[in-house]
Amino acid sequence: MAETQAAVHAGPRPRLRWIILGGACIFGAIVVVGTITRIHDRRQLHATNVAALVPSVTVVHPAGHAVDTLVLPGILQAWYSAPVYARTNGYLRQWYVDIGQKVAAGQLLAEIDTPDVDLQLAGARAALGTRTAQRDLARITSRRWDRLNAQNAVSQQETDERRGNLAASEATRHEAAAEVERLETLSAFKRIIAPFAGVITSRATDIGALIVAGTAASQPLFTVSDVTRLRLYVRVPQAYAARMREGFVAHFTVPDYRNRQFEARLLHSSDAVDSQSGTMLVQLVYDNRENLLKPGAYAQIAFAFHGAGPQAPPAARIPASSLLFRRDGTTVALVDGHDHVRIQPVAILIDFGTELEVTGITPQDRIITNPPDDIGDGDPVKPREGRHGA
């Protein structure tokens, strides 16, 4: 009986022990899983926060090399262009040519009526006649006194006085003759003639207009231009100055003939770089025998440098918004293969406004557009591809 009771009391103890152990294991598993879950969530939250701190940037690729062709604006000018002024006062009697007409060298363009000059010339000629008569009388008197002096009929002093009168009369006559020549030359300016063969490009007078010469307010009566050849002036950036050689051939277009290219030859350069613009002035010449182009017209000149001049560093076009101005110079921000920033120095060759032609980068580089001012080397970024020129 005692053994039966001991067995009854000993039976449930191992089961209770297992139940407690199982509960402890389950509780421990719950604690471990909860801890692991919280640690994982915390790490995910940290990673999300870190990822949120990485800025997103837009990257573009450079437009490619642009050193073979350089396109610049220029102005066409006449080979010769002479404003024709009046050299005498008066009223315009008649003009014989108008704008657009071709003229030959020495051709009469207009005539001026100058009554005051004509009267002055008539008076000067009369004064010259008087001086000539006085000179002739002084010469006869001097010769007569020379003969009397040889016969000791008059004194040497009186003879020298007559010789002095002759010399003074001769000088006075020369003065009167010079005045006649001056007025004759002035009178010849009544005829306005063309200085060289060309085209009348302006006329600023009409019949009866008052002509006042030799004042700051004087305007040219005509402008004569030789347009058989045209000069083309272009300002070339310093980076290309060494490649400009006499005889270099360039092509240009004008708005008048959009689908036609014209050829010009480099004639001279200023051989000096302007310190303000950083450019060198070059002069090209175009043979305008067909009379297609007009002086004063705007043109776009394309310089092709295939094998011409010293080798220039490779260049590419980038958006102007990608530049960074730092203490050590002009730079851009690139994104490397690991999505980290690399600051790259560049040199600007040409400023096209919204775009720049620079050296120091390649078309394979990824350039950040509108980079923040505080961006630095090694900063992580999230790049997204953009469109060049957008």
Side-chain angles (χ1 to χ4, degrees):
M1 187 66 177
E3 294 177 358
T4 303
Q5 290 179 350
V8 171
H9 288 290
R13 287 182 180 178
R15 184 181 299 175
L16 181 60
R17 190 179 296 120
W18 283 107
I19 291 174
I20 294 173
L21 182 61
C25 290
I26 292 173
F27 179 76
I30 293 174
V31 172
V32 171
V33 171
T35 303
I36 294 174
T37 302
R38 285 194 299 272
I39 293 173
H40 177 71
D41 291 344
R42 186 177 298 172
R43 289 180 177 177
Q44 279 192 335
L45 179 61
H46 178 72
T48 302
N49 292 335
V50 171
L53 294 176
V54 176
S56 297
V57 295
T58 303
V59 297
V60 296
H61 293 277
H65 295 286
V67 295
D68 288 338
T69 302
L70 175 65
V71 180
L72 296 171
I75 298 296
L76 289 166
Q77 294 187 13
W79 186 251
Y80 296 125
S81 183
V84 180
Y85 289 84
R87 290 292 306 278
T88 185
N89 301 329
Y91 294 91
L92 191 73
R93 177 185 296 174
Q94 184 68 44
W95 54 266
Y96 301 103
V97 293
D98 207 348
I99 58 172
Q101 288 186 242
K102 294 183 178 181
V103 295
Q107 180 176 337
L108 182 63
L109 306 181
E111 287 184 300
I112 301 174
D113 189 11
T114 58
D116 52 345
V117 175
D118 295 340
L119 290 175
Q120 292 176 22
L121 178 58
R125 285 172 174 168
L128 176 61
T130 301
R131 300 294 183 271
T132 302
Q134 292 174 348
R135 189 272 317 268
D136 293 341
L137 178 59
R139 179 179 297 167
I140 294 172
T141 303
S142 177
R143 289 175 180 175
R144 182 179 297 119
W145 283 80
D146 285 341
R147 290 195 298 270
L148 292 174
N149 183 48
Q151 299 172 3
N152 294 321
V154 294
S155 66
Q156 184 66 39
Q157 177 64 32
E158 293 174 323
T159 303
D160 292 339
E161 290 176 358
R162 299 305 182 273
R163 291 174 180 174
N165 290 338
L166 173 59
S169 299
E170 188 71 32
T172 304
R173 195 240 175 222
H174 285 321
E175 181 182 2
E179 179 65 12
V180 170
E181 291 179 3
R182 185 186 71 84
L183 291 171
E184 285 177 345
T185 302
L186 195 60
S187 179
F189 289 139
K190 295 188 297 184
R191 294 169 51 86
I192 308 299
I193 61 175
F196 50 79
V199 177
I200 302 297
T201 55
S202 74
R203 176 180 63 83
T205 188
D206 212 336
I207 296 176
L210 175 64
I211 307 299
V212 180
T215 65
S218 298
Q219 293 184 347
L221 306 182
F222 302 90
T223 301
V224 182
S225 300
D226 180 4
V227 296
T228 55
R229 289 184 294 173
L230 295 178
R231 303 177 192 267
L232 187 55
Y233 290 98
V234 190
R235 291 198 169 273
V236 177
Q238 181 180 353
Y240 294 90
R243 311 179 78 177
M244 295 295 161
R245 296 286 185 270
E246 292 187 9
F248 186 85
V249 176
H251 295 84
F252 67 94
T253 58
V254 293
D256 312 28
Y257 302 92
R258 297 183 179 273
N259 300 322
R260 180 169 177 178
Q261 277 195 342
F262 300 91
E263 186 177 284
R265 179 175 52 85
L266 197 149
L267 186 62
H268 297 297
S269 69
S270 63
D271 206 21
V273 176
D274 182 58
S275 59
Q276 295 183 350
S277 64
T279 59
M280 182 180 71
L281 182 65
V282 299
Q283 178 186 185
L284 299 96
V285 58
Y286 166 69
D287 190 349
N288 195 34
R289 295 179 185 177
E290 299 180 17
N291 199 28
L292 294 177
L293 305 185
K294 308 296 186 260
Y298 169 83
Q300 277 204 330
I301 305 94
F303 295 92
F305 296 104
H306 300 290
Q311 293 297 322
R317 289 195 183 187
I318 63 172
S321 60
S322 61
L323 283 187
L324 284 170
F325 298 97
R326 299 291 175 87
R327 183 179 302 175
D328 51 351
T330 305
T331 61
V332 294
L334 307 181
V335 178
D336 61 17
H338 302 288
D339 292 343
H340 285 77
V341 174
R342 178 167 61 89
I343 303 299
Q344 175 66 33
V346 295
I348 300 175
L349 294 180
I350 307 175
D351 187 348
F352 295 101
T354 58
E355 289 188 335
L356 301 169
E357 186 173 303
V358 301
T359 60
I361 57 175
T362 66
Q364 290 73 34
D365 291 327
R366 294 188 296 172
I367 303 174
I368 300 176
T369 61
N370 298 305
D373 294 334
D374 59 349
I375 198 168
D377 252 327
D379 290 351
V381 292
K382 291 188 292 185
R384 62 174 182 271
E385 292 289 336
R387 184 167 59 88
H388 185 79

